[in-house]
Amino acid sequence: AAASTLHAVRFDPDRLELRGDPVPIVEQVLTSPTGGSDYAVARNGTLVFVPGGRTFFGGPALPRSLVWVTRQGREEGLNAPTRSYSVARLSPDGKRVALEIIDQETDIWTWDLTRRTLSRLTVDPAADLRPVWTPDGRRIIFTSARAGAQNLFWRASDGTGADERL
């Protein structure tokens, strides 16, 4: 990815060499300041990506709405407030969503799909990023640059207790 555009280039696996020049395939892919992009390619070649262009931690980020997409491709709004959502992870039971919201204080939040409530999970001044649910749904693991280095932390998904460094 470069400048929010995802490129593809032919690769020779026998010689471990690129063949030809990169070709742009998708524009406006969510891209972090470090160059990472939010996309994945399935074994069958299907590409999924998060639209949005470049994000800047602590700076302006694009406001987005949360939607549920049916298997038929129809979008249904979740009536969540418009925020600068970046990463969304559905809980194992399918009742909540862990969210990374990039704003003045980049933190992890949860959206309860039944109660339709948005709750802040982390409150540390450092950027808390990339939420992942534990398989039992009781905790959310995330990365944070607390104390000057990236580390993994977790917290009870209901917001009780304190963040714990792993």
Side-chain angles (χ1 to χ4, degrees), residues 7-8 42 50 97 102 114 116 128 138 164:
H7 295 77
V50 178
V97 182
I102 297 177
T114 305
R116 297 184 179 182
D128 298 325
R138 298 172 98 183
E164 184 179 335

Side-chain angles (χ1 to χ4, degrees), residues 43-149:
R43 289 180 193 250
N44 69 1
T46 300
L47 169 70
V48 296
F49 68 95
V50 178
R54 187 174 168 123
T55 62
F56 298 90
F57 300 120
L62 298 174
R64 296 181 177 87
S65 299
L66 294 179
V67 297
W68 187 268
V69 181
T70 67
R71 291 186 187 273
Q72 294 75 33
R74 193 177 77 246
E75 293 182 7
E76 299 172 0
L78 295 181
N79 295 322
T82 302
R83 298 287 301 268
S84 298
Y85 301 112
S86 180
V87 173
R89 300 285 185 253
L90 191 61
S91 65
D93 66 5
K95 295 181 180 179
R96 294 180 291 162
V97 182
L99 300 158
E100 172 185 310
I101 298 179
I102 297 177
D103 54 17
Q104 296 84 358
E105 297 177 353
T106 300
D107 282 302
I108 306 302
W109 294 67
T110 58
W111 173 256
D112 187 308
L113 292 162
T114 305
R115 294 186 183 112
R116 297 184 179 182
T117 55
L118 185 64
S119 303
R120 189 173 177 174
L121 187 73
T122 64
V123 294
D124 192 90
D128 298 325
L129 307 165
R130 306 294 185 224
V132 177
W133 293 89
T134 56
D136 63 7
R138 298 172 98 183
R139 294 186 172 274
I140 296 174
I141 301 169
F142 58 94
T143 183
S144 182
R146 300 171 191 192

